[in-house]
Amino acid sequence: MSSVRLVLLALCAALLASACGDARPSAPRARSVLLVTLDTTRRDALGIYRDLASNHAPRPDVSPNLDALAHESVVYTRCSTTAALTLPAHASMLTGLYPVRHTVHINSMQALPQTAWTLAEALQQEGYDTAAFVGAVVLDRAFGIAQGFDTYTAPVAPKVQETLDYGERPARAVADDALAWLEQRDRAKPFFAWLHFYDPHLPYKPPAEFRERAGKNAYHGEVAYVDHVLADVFAKLKQQGLWDELLVIVTADHGDSLGQHNEDTHGPLAYETTIAVPMFVRWPRGAHGGTLDHTLTSVTDVYPTVLESLDLPLRDAIDGASLWQAASSGREGVYMEALYGYHAFRWSQLLGWRDEEGKYLHSARPEYYDVDADPDEVRDLVAERPQQVERARERLKQLFAMKKLEVGEADKVDGSMLAKVAMLGYVGTGSMGNLITGTDANPLDTGDRPAPNDCMERYMKSTLAQSQLFSNQGAMAIPLLEAVLAGEPRNPNALFQYSSALIQARLFEQGLAAVERALEWGEAWYGLHRNKGMCLEGLNRIDEAVAEYEKALALEPDLTTVWLRLSDIAKKRGDDAEAKRCYDRAVELGLPTDGSAPPPPK
């Protein structure tokens, strides 16, 4: 056994010995704050949490720097995120509100409303330097998450998203931005800095050194890479004499299922694999370091914890609870949700409530788990715990009746940004409708939609079909998508993928029927109009095809493939000027690099 692991096991023993029971004294007040958020990082991906769990086998050390920080921190063992998606979870951290109240339920479809009073805004008003350094386009300024930050750096969004591109930058680029800012900022002022690392998200491509360090496991290699880069940030803060008066909070937006519960990554479900997240708080001067806290906590607690540690008041009622003193054992519970499938696939809503007795998951097929006794959530107790289920259902109804942030026209995300974040999966279908506005008399009504947990086999087929489409193997994707649609005939994402597969197979008549079904049941979206245009063009219905391409461009002007199709049509019609105009626009946006782009018109 390595010396590092021996030290870590000794730390775990110390933490267990000092687990919270009675309320501890308040921590010292902080002068400045560092928030570190690890994207897609399971709680057991970090050594400190893995070694606290007796049912996990040893693994190569991948997080020595974060584990060392945990030794100086209060470590929370039952922290939940609010949603297993990046944007809504971070919106909860920075507002202290559950998604049902801040209104951002999935990535990219709506910005955090301007009516939000964010943590950065509160600190900016008090004279703090506020800076954020994020690793993914999904946290672009366009999504409202930058409110209150004087400095906000993020990856440059691609001009259009018609390829499988996650719009991210590596941990080293994020850390280098932060280090440069720390070097040049006015050190007389207190600060709030937020660093977000996207690396543990798909695709898992860590530098070779860190893949090897993680025993050739690519996912854990990404965690090891982030951990390594963070050491430089911590060293700089110590070098500048800021560490003793600094509040450091480390958490994750969500975890990753890695195949458990038939979920390949995250988003559709709300089991602990994606909802349980690491959370540890290093108070100034390492106060209460080595303490293990078992009370229920939430990522919404970041907001009030920071304010109270700085001796600043809350302006509005929020859902989070401050951790400055010992976490409150009297908390009613914590909320979580998974509405990606509701929005994209026409599944039922999936809403969750966890309290000291267990965790209720509400969908078309409700579930209830005693998570403490059954952490893998394999024994459904919904039939055995009717009183607990009914209490959780009432709590969900009460939550949906609470005041929400007002959403205005300025909070809508334009089609261009949707295109930059969306992958092939059809993100623009359906409507959150009453679940967002709160006008539904019964937010628990699932209607005729299927339960997400009953759709996962089909979801995995859809995911495989998506990868085949990106490899231009549409003919192979067709039977997979037909199997999906046999069980979910109104799944708009599957209909879109099916039309794309039929287009690749040059089965334009069937493709047109599929896309028209999707348009009949869903909202207008540029991808459907693009696909309809391609089907009509393939059927030599050129005027109709041009009309559909123009509808697509009205919704999203930056579609390279559509400009190329219009250029080709104009060329065949003998309109050389129009052909050149459309081609030049495609060149401006960036031609495909796979060799599919036609030569320029003469």
Side-chain angles (χ1 to χ4, degrees):
M1 182 179 291
S2 72
S3 60
V4 172
R5 179 156 295 279
L6 285 170
V7 170
L8 186 55
L9 289 174
L11 164 61
C12 293
L15 285 170
L16 288 168
S18 59
C20 279
D22 299 329
R24 63 173 182 269
S26 301
R29 300 288 184 182
R31 184 171 188 270
S32 296
V33 178
L34 173 67
L35 172 63
V36 175
T37 61
L38 312 171
D39 210 292
T40 322
T41 301
R42 291 167 61 110
R43 193 158 57 197
D44 62 8
L46 302 183
I48 180 62
Y49 285 98
R50 186 173 180 87
D51 286 320
L52 285 170
S54 59
N55 60 333
H56 287 301
R59 185 185 63 219
D61 297 300
V62 300
S63 55
N65 297 299
L66 286 167
D67 294 337
L69 179 64
H71 182 48
E72 303 175 19
S73 305
V74 177
V75 177
Y76 297 90
T77 65
R78 295 199 296 169
C79 184
S80 296
T81 189
T82 57
L85 291 170
T86 299
L87 182 61
H90 281 96
S92 288
M93 294 180 207
L94 296 178
T95 65
L97 299 174
Y98 293 135
V100 67
R101 297 189 61 206
H102 65 56
T103 74
V104 180
H105 295 274
I106 66 171
N107 291 336
S108 82
M109 290 305 297
Q110 180 201 310
L112 178 66
Q114 293 297 306
T115 53
W117 182 244
T118 69
L119 182 57
E121 287 175 303
L123 298 185
Q124 184 185 58
Q125 178 177 271
E126 295 293 330
Y128 285 72
D129 275 345
T130 55
F133 312 94
V134 304
V137 170
V138 72
L139 294 176
D140 189 89
R141 283 179 175 274
F143 301 119
I145 205 75
Q147 295 175 56
F149 285 104
D150 303 315
T151 299
Y152 197 90
T153 72
V156 176
K159 289 185 177 181
V160 71
Q161 175 64 327
E162 294 188 89
T163 58
L164 188 58
D165 180 353
Y166 286 84
E168 65 176 303
R169 59 177 178 162
R172 174 51 62 192
V174 172
D176 283 351
D177 271 4
L179 291 168
W181 176 80
L182 284 168
E183 193 62 40
Q184 58 81 35
R185 62 173 295 274
D186 180 358
R187 298 185 196 177
K189 294 179 65 177
F191 69 85
F192 168 47
W194 165 35
L195 278 67
H196 162 255
F197 297 97
Y198 195 70
D199 305 73
H201 193 288
L202 276 173
Y204 309 133
K205 296 180 179 179
E209 171 190 351
F210 298 99
R211 185 185 178 107
E212 289 298 315
R213 181 179 299 181
K216 301 187 184 299
N217 182 297
Y219 171 73
H220 291 119
E222 294 280 29
V223 175
Y225 175 48
V226 172
D227 179 85
H228 173 77
V229 166
L230 271 170
D232 294 340
V233 177
F234 298 158
K236 173 63 72 174
L237 291 164
K238 293 173 183 176
Q239 176 195 330
Q240 293 186 343
L242 301 170
W243 196 249
D244 281 350
E245 295 183 292
L246 187 66
L247 171 69
V248 183
I249 300 178
V250 176
T251 190
D253 56 353
H254 55 77
D256 210 34
S257 280
L258 301 178
Q260 290 180 260
H261 299 286
N262 292 319
E263 184 179 27
D264 55 346
T265 56
H266 59 271
L269 302 178
Y271 294 113
E272 292 296 282
T273 49
T274 61
I275 296 298
V277 292
M279 168 84 88
F280 45 94
V281 179
R282 194 263 183 197
W283 301 106
R285 296 188 290 280
H288 312 303
T291 300
L292 199 65
D293 196 315
H294 296 303
T295 49
L296 287 175
T297 50
S298 165
V299 295
T300 58
D301 300 342
V302 168
Y303 184 98
T305 298
V306 169
L307 289 182
E308 189 168 14
S309 74
L310 300 173
D311 202 18
L312 297 174
L314 288 171
R315 192 181 80 164
D316 302 307
I318 60 170
D319 301 312
S322 173
L323 307 177
W324 187 62
Q325 296 183 346
S328 173
S329 59
R331 187 176 202 155
E332 286 189 65
V334 294
Y335 171 80
M336 68 284 299
E337 66 178 36
L339 294 179
Y340 175 55
Y342 177 91
H343 191 74
F345 310 132
R346 207 182 174 278
W347 297 347
S348 80
Q349 63 268 47
L350 178 53
L351 313 173
W353 182 258
R354 182 180 179 186
D355 58 24
E356 291 294 342
E357 293 193 66
K359 175 179 169 185
Y360 174 62
L361 295 175
H362 180 82
S363 71
R365 180 166 67 82
E367 301 165 88
Y368 188 91
Y369 297 98
D370 181 348
V371 178
D372 292 331
D374 177 22
D376 293 325
E377 294 166 297
V378 295
R379 186 186 176 197
D380 184 4
L381 303 174
V382 71
E384 301 173 33
R385 306 279 178 91
Q387 291 181 327
Q388 290 90 335
V389 167
E390 185 56 32
R391 185 163 56 247
R393 287 169 59 90
E394 287 303 313
R395 189 65 189 92
L396 289 173
K397 290 179 184 178
Q398 292 167 12
L399 184 59
F400 272 82
M402 294 177 70
K403 183 179 179 180
K404 302 165 179 59
L405 295 181
E406 294 183 11
V407 180
E409 284 297 315
D411 303 317
K412 293 182 179 179
V413 179
D414 64 40
S416 180
M417 183 52 71
L418 293 181
K420 292 168 184 174
V421 174
M423 294 183 296
L424 180 65
Y426 183 34
V427 180
T429 293
S431 171
M432 300 303 289
N434 292 333
L435 282 175
I436 277 187
T437 64
T439 58
D440 196 341
N442 182 7
L444 303 187
D445 183 7
T446 58
D448 64 349
R449 295 178 177 226
N453 45 11
D454 291 333
C455 298
M456 294 313 295
E457 182 177 344
R458 292 188 292 269
Y459 175 76
M460 295 296 284
K461 290 180 179 179
S462 181
T463 301
L464 176 58
Q466 177 174 295
S467 65
Q468 291 172 336
L469 286 170
F470 275 112
S471 300
N472 202 30
Q473 298 176 320
M476 295 180 64
I478 288 173
L480 291 170
L481 293 166
E482 287 176 342
V484 174
L485 289 167
E488 302 171 44
R490 296 184 65 176
N491 182 325
N493 183 72
L495 282 168
F496 170 69
Q497 289 182 313
Y498 188 45
S499 70
S500 299
L502 292 165
I503 289 168
Q504 287 187 8
R506 304 189 64 78
L507 299 173
F508 300 117
E509 198 75 56
Q510 297 98 309
L512 181 60
V515 79
E516 286 180 337
R517 281 166 60 198
L519 282 167
E520 177 186 353
W521 289 332
E523 296 176 354
W525 179 59
Y526 74 84
L528 286 178
H529 290 294
R530 180 195 63 194
N531 277 16
K532 187 174 181 180
M534 294 177 76
C535 291
L536 290 166
E537 186 181 359
L539 295 170
N540 204 32
R541 293 161 60 177
I542 304 302
D543 289 343
E544 294 172 83
V546 169
E548 290 300 322
Y549 287 147
E550 289 175 346
K551 288 179 182 178
L553 290 175
L555 294 167
E556 167 43 55
D558 295 348
L559 293 170
T560 303
T561 55
V562 173
W563 286 109
L564 288 174
R565 296 312 316 141
L566 288 172
S567 175
D568 189 57
I569 289 171
K571 180 180 177 181
K572 290 176 180 177
R573 286 175 164 176
D575 189 343
D576 293 340
E578 178 64 7
K580 184 178 186 306
R581 184 186 75 85
C582 293
Y583 193 88
D584 287 348
R585 177 61 176 146
V587 170
E588 179 184 343
L589 293 171
L591 294 175
T593 58
D594 59 2
S596 63
K602 297 180 180 178

